Structures are given as C-alpha cells and as structure tokens.
C-alpha cells in the first residue's frame, strides 16, 4: 500500500443499467432535496413516488431505444480505466449520485486502501445546485471528516477543454458556414435559478467563450445560439427551449452540442439523437447532427491532469 497515494473521484448523476435500476434512478433523483426543493422530506418522498409511478414505463421505452441501459456507465468506466493507467500518484474512482457505484462503497474502499487525501471532480463543466452541489454534498455526508478533500471548481473556462470542444464541433461537419450551431444545455426550473443557482449565467458565459474561440480560429457558422432541453412538469423552465429554437430553423442545417455534459448519457443519446431528431424532421429541418461529448478522449484526460495539479 502506498501511504502517499491520493484518490481522484469522478462525480456524476449515474444512469440505469436495467429496469430495476431505472426505478432506483428516478426515486433517488426525485428524493434529492436539490432537485425537488420542498422543505418536507415526507412530501418530497410522496412526490418522488408519484413521479416514479407515472414515468417508469414510458422512461423505460426511451432506454430500450438506446439498448436497454444508459451509456454513462460504460463510458465512465472507460474513463476511470484510462485515468488509472495514466496517473501514478492517484487511484481513480467514480461515484454516481442516483445509481451504483454510490459514495458509501467508495468511502469504504478508500478506508481499506488507507487513502487520506481525496480530490473530487464533478463531471459538469458549469456549477448547479442540482448537479455539482448535490454530488459533492452526497459524498461529504458519507465521508464525514475522514479525508482531506479538495473539490475541483467548474472548468468551463479551461483552455484545453474548450479547445477540445471547439475542435470536436469543427471536425463534425465539412463546412461550418452551412450549419446553425445550437449549444443545448440541460434545462432547470426558473425558480431554482431565481433562488441563486449560477448555472444559467455560467452556461451563457461558456457559449460566449466558445464563440470567441471560433472567431479567433476564423470559423463561421450560419448562427450560434443556446437552448435548453429536458423540460418536465408544469413549472416555468429556462428558455428558449430546444424545440422552440428548432422551430426557427426550418429548411436549415442544424448542429447540436450538449454543452452541459462531459459523458454521453440518456439526455444526449436518447433525447438529442432520437427524440429531438424526430422533432427536427417534423419541423422541416434539412440536416440535423449531434456532436458527442468529450467522454474518455485523450484530450479530456489531459484536461483532468491540468485540473488536479
């Protein structure tokens, strides 16, 4: 056992591997006080149960359309494996918020290995209470004060990261001038933003940074815009919705980049690749393309090396 070894822990939301895990995923997500922000635990639990009952079967059909499980699991495992081969001073783990592997098991492993120093890397470029805060709080509630912990800040301003994102977008089409680039971000209820969540501000900043990089590289698009996906329920959510933005682009070519995700998941592989593509066809979009997340790419591993120095 290397006494000096530290742990790097990747934090993400998780995703179901089968139908039983889908119920677990939905139940845990809607029991999260950062997602359903009512003060009463009993009321939140009741709301979660109602949502699970109403959505489980229809949600499972979505997962069946992408092979019966969320791609987030295999892709994150691949990233962890590559990082463990790259780093000598760190042992790398993953902790998911709503499906295994959970924080409790990870903390147990860290203690067994005698690891005392931990770096937490939330796999979200921008900060939100619903993602970053929720995942960090979850880990810390289990870890107590048993480790020296450092949390990596949101990295949407990181140059190497943004180089990777812009290069992926540019190389996905032959002529960028023929495409309307939409940065699609996971939506949030407006009331969460109004309560002080910085996510919308940071996503807007990120779009500005990426647009400036395109300008500096002398790369032009027909248009560049931001839209929000994944709205559920009757509350007012961040606008414009991706569907509304697509409505403005009839007969045009559209290129989508999932700006709020690092690892492809059901929101990218089902919603963007299947659901919104069908909407785009119905709306008369000429060509519709989605760019993959950075996933376990060598360039993103270089980004992580820089972030944890």
């Amino acid at each position: 056992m290397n006494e000096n070894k530290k742990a790097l822990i990747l934090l993400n939301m998780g995703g179901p591997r089968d139908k039983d895990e889908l119920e677990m995923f939905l139940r845990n997500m809607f029991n999260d006080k950062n997602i359903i922000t009512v003060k009463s635990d009993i009321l939140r639990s009741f709301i979660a149960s109602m949502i699970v009952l109403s959505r489980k079967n229809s949600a499972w059909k979505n997962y069946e359309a992408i092979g019966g499980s969320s791609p987030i699991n295999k892709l994150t495992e691949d990233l962890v494996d590559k990082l463990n081969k790259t780093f000598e001073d760190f042992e790398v783990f993953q902790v998911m918020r709503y499906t295994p592997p959970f924080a409790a098991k990870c903390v147990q492993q860290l203690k067994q290995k005698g690891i005392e120093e931990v770096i937490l890397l939330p796999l979200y470029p921008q900060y939100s209470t619903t993602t970053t805060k929720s995942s960090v709080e979850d880990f810390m509630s289990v870890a107590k004060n048993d480790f020296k912990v450092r949390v990596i800040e949101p990295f949407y301003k990181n140059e190497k990261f943004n180089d990777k994102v812009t290069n992926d977008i540019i190389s996905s089409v032959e002529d960028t001038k023929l495409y309307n680039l939409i940065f699609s971000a996971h939506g949030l209820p407006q009331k969460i933003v109004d309560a002080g969540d910085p996510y919308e501000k940071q996503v807007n900043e990120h779009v500005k940074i990426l647009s400036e990089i395109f300008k500096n590289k002398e790369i032009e698009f027909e248009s560049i815009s931001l839209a929000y996906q994944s709205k559920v329920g009757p509350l007012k959510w961040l606008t414009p919705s991706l569907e509304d933005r697509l409505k403005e682009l009839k007969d045009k070519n559209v290129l989508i980049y999932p700006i709020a995700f690092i690892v492809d998941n059901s929101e990218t592989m089902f919603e963007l690749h299947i659901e919104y593509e069908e909407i785009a066809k119905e709306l008369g979009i000429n060509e519709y393309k989605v760019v993959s997340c950075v996933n376990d790419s060598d360039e993103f591993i270089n980004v992580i090396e820089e972030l944890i120095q």
Side-chain angles (χ1 to χ4, degrees):
M1 191 192 309
N2 180 351
E3 291 295 325
N4 299 320
K5 203 161 209 184
K6 302 170 189 171
L8 169 64
I9 300 169
L10 309 180
L11 303 178
N12 212 333
M13 61 185 166
R17 294 167 182 84
D18 53 40
K19 197 171 183 180
D20 288 340
E21 275 198 4
L22 173 61
E23 180 160 347
M24 177 199 293
F25 176 76
L26 293 171
R27 193 169 294 282
N28 287 341
M29 180 162 63
F30 293 111
N31 263 306
D32 184 345
K33 67 181 186 296
N34 289 296
I35 302 281
I36 302 291
T37 55
V38 296
K39 288 191 169 64
S40 162
D41 291 346
I42 294 166
L43 178 56
R44 189 181 311 108
S45 180
F46 174 74
I47 293 167
S49 295
M50 290 298 99
I51 293 171
V52 171
L53 274 173
S54 66
R55 289 184 62 187
K56 186 174 74 170
N57 290 331
S58 62
W60 180 242
K61 284 180 186 153
N62 301 349
Y63 283 98
E64 284 182 324
I66 54 171
S69 69
S70 172
I72 202 171
N73 298 300
K74 171 75 168 65
L75 290 167
T76 308
E77 283 155 20
D78 290 347
L79 178 57
V80 168
D81 289 346
K82 280 176 93 168
L83 288 167
N84 273 319
K85 285 171 187 156
T86 305
F87 296 155
E88 288 180 8
D89 299 336
F90 288 89
E91 190 159 353
V92 185
F93 302 83
Q94 57 159 319
V95 167
M96 295 298 192
R97 182 68 182 89
Y98 306 126
T99 55
F102 291 123
K105 186 179 179 187
C106 181
V107 165
Q108 193 181 12
Q109 289 172 316
L110 297 174
K111 288 178 178 175
Q112 284 167 354
K113 290 172 182 284
I115 289 170
E116 294 175 359
E117 283 190 53
V118 168
I119 293 181
L120 300 181
L121 174 57
L123 289 179
Y124 305 101
Q126 311 90 13
Y127 182 96
S128 174
T129 55
T130 60
T131 52
T132 313
K133 178 174 181 268
S134 177
S135 287
V136 171
E137 274 183 354
D138 176 54
F139 180 85
M140 298 302 282
S141 71
V142 179
K144 310 283 193 245
N145 295 312
D146 294 340
F147 308 97
K148 184 182 175 188
V149 178
R150 175 182 153 214
V151 182
I152 301 294
E153 295 296 310
F155 50 89
Y156 65 94
K157 293 179 183 176
N158 181 278
E159 280 184 33
K160 277 187 185 168
F161 174 63
N162 287 326
D163 256 350
K164 170 62 177 163
V165 170
T166 51
N167 287 338
D168 281 356
I169 291 167
I170 293 162
S171 62
S172 67
V173 292
E174 279 186 31
D175 186 354
T176 57
K177 288 193 202 74
L178 302 176
Y179 286 84
N180 295 270
L181 173 61
I182 304 175
F183 288 108
S184 184
H186 193 286
L188 269 190
Q190 185 66 47
K191 69 171 192 173
I192 289 177
V193 175
D194 293 343
D197 192 300
Y199 174 72
E200 182 186 23
K201 179 176 173 285
Q202 292 188 4
V203 169
N204 273 301
E205 268 185 72
H206 197 188
V207 171
K208 277 185 190 153
I209 291 166
L210 295 168
S211 300
E212 197 61 33
I213 293 169
F214 287 130
K215 198 172 164 186
N216 293 339
K217 291 182 177 181
E218 298 186 339
I219 298 292
E220 292 176 31
F221 292 88
E222 189 173 349
S223 70
I224 298 177
S225 59
L226 168 65
Y228 294 93
Q229 66 185 90
S230 312
K231 180 185 187 301
V232 288
L235 289 176
K236 179 173 166 36
W237 280 48
L238 291 174
T239 56
S241 71
L242 180 52
E243 187 169 348
D244 284 346
R245 180 67 187 121
L246 290 172
K247 283 174 184 170
E248 298 165 3
L249 296 170
K250 187 178 187 308
D251 300 325
K252 305 277 190 182
N253 297 326
V254 170
L255 186 61
I256 306 275
Y257 188 83
I259 194 172
F261 294 116
I262 291 299
V263 180
D264 277 308
N265 54 74
S266 63
E267 275 88 350
T268 62
M269 299 310 288
F270 175 74
E271 279 187 29
L272 290 181
H273 277 275
I274 297 175
E275 194 172 36
Y276 282 105
E277 181 167 22
E278 283 174 13
I279 290 168
K281 277 180 188 164
E282 285 167 16
L283 292 171
I285 300 285
N286 185 40
E287 190 186 345
Y288 174 94
K289 290 189 81 166
V290 181
V291 185
S292 295
C293 294
V294 296
N295 292 316
D296 66 336
S297 58
D298 293 344
E299 295 92 338
F300 185 57
I301 284 171
N302 293 337
V303 172
I304 292 176
E305 277 190 281
E306 188 171 284
L307 291 173
I308 66 174
Q309 279 169 7

